[in-house]
Amino acid sequence: PPRYDPSMGAAIAFLVIFAILSIGHLGILIRSRIWWTSVLVVGGVAEIIGWVGRLRSSINVGSLNAFLTQEIW
C-alpha cells in the first residue's frame, strides 16, 4: 500500500498563502463592495480549513478527523 506522509512545510506554506490572499480579498470586499469577491473569501476560508487539516495530519498521521477535514474541505 502507498505510504501516507503529508508535508508539514507545504501545509504551513499554503496555509499562510491562502490566509494572506483571503484577507486581501476580504479587504477588497469591504472597501469596494464588489460582492462577487465574497465567493473568493468563502473559498479561501474553505482552503484554510483544509490546510489546517493537512497540517494536523502531518503531526498525527493516524488521525482520521484530521484526514477527513483535509479531504472534505
Side-chain angles (χ1 to χ4, degrees):
R3 186 172 166 220
Y4 178 67
D5 187 24
S7 169
M8 181 184 285
I12 291 171
F14 284 109
L15 180 62
V16 169
I17 289 169
F18 276 106
I20 291 169
L21 292 175
S22 296
I23 290 169
H25 284 114
L26 183 62
I28 291 171
L29 174 65
I30 292 170
R31 186 176 62 247
S32 62
R33 295 186 182 168
I34 300 174
W35 296 109
W36 61 266
T37 57
S38 62
V39 175
L40 300 175
V41 173
V42 170
V45 169
E47 284 289 337
I48 290 168
I49 293 170
W51 284 107
V52 166
R54 181 79 170 192
L55 180 61
R56 287 179 51 215
S57 286
S58 70
I59 295 167
N60 183 4
V61 178
S63 173
L64 181 61
N65 287 335
F67 177 77
L68 290 177
T69 300
Q70 155 196 327
E71 289 297 315
I72 293 172
W73 289 95

